[in-house]
Amino acid sequence: MKKRFEVCPAAELPPGERTITDLNGISVGVFNVDGEYYALKNDCPHQRAPLCMGKVTGTTSVEHTGAINWEDNGHILRCPWHGWEFDIETGRSVFNPNKVRARSFETTVEPADEEPTESEADCSSIPDECDCGSSADEPPVATYDVTVEDEMVVVYL
């Protein structure tokens, strides 16, 4: 079973930013790429460099001789030691995606995990009837706005 780790509030990690944190003894980089969150082990599979400290960039592709394209801007992580490039979304190496891969982890945005407060846990004290003056044929209905606040970026290891 995977273990849940709350990394930071989503509002504190805007698009294009990253944070590097220790989760249960494993250094993990969490990235916001265009509003989606991804986590990679901070360990380059080439020579164990701190991969997540590398530059977030794009990469080049060659369509045909003389036609070089710049693509995937902001989706590629370049190792700070030797320049190996990895797709942040999959952890796959750009030059050899089927054989070289940085370890990635499931990442989501979820409400913060909080213990229920006494008022949330004790719903039995809410009376079945109200004294609002309404007749039994027209039961009162009160509505309230509900929002989820303090959403957290969560990584599962």
Side-chain angles (χ1 to χ4, degrees):
M1 180 174 173
K2 294 181 179 178
K3 190 169 181 179
R4 182 181 191 271
F5 293 92
E6 292 183 353
V7 175
C8 66
E12 292 181 9
L13 194 61
E17 295 295 322
R18 81 186 95 177
T19 185
I20 299 173
T21 187
D22 184 273
L23 303 178
N24 208 24
I26 300 172
S27 182
V28 175
V30 181
F31 298 81
N32 181 337
V33 178
D34 299 332
E36 299 292 327
Y37 297 89
Y38 303 96
L40 295 173
K41 187 175 181 185
N42 189 18
D43 184 30
C44 181
H46 174 223
Q47 288 190 343
R48 316 294 310 254
L51 177 63
C52 297
M53 296 178 71
K55 182 177 182 179
V56 175
T57 185
T59 192
T60 56
S61 68
V62 178
E63 201 169 297
H64 55 82
T65 304
I68 299 171
N69 299 320
W70 181 252
E71 57 189 26
D72 297 330
N73 196 32
H75 293 245
I76 304 296
L77 178 61
R78 186 176 294 151
C79 177
W81 285 5
H82 301 105
W84 284 33
E85 295 176 330
F86 297 87
D87 184 321
I88 295 172
E89 297 173 24
T90 64
R92 293 180 186 269
S93 162
V94 170
F95 83 93
N96 193 352
N98 296 320
K99 289 194 174 184
V100 179
R101 187 176 193 170
R103 182 153 184 211
S104 60
F105 303 100
E106 177 186 349
T107 309
T108 64
V109 175
E110 301 174 355
D113 188 18
E114 296 179 17
E115 294 292 323
T117 62
E118 187 172 287
S119 62
E120 291 171 328
D122 184 17
C123 296
S124 62
S125 63
I126 299 172
D128 291 335
E129 299 176 14
C130 71
D131 59 353
C132 59
S134 152
S135 70
D137 295 334
E138 298 175 16
V141 176
T143 60
Y144 305 94
D145 292 332
V146 177
T147 60
V148 176
E149 296 181 357
D150 300 326
E151 289 188 313
M152 300 294 290
V153 176
V154 176
V155 174
Y156 289 90
L157 298 183

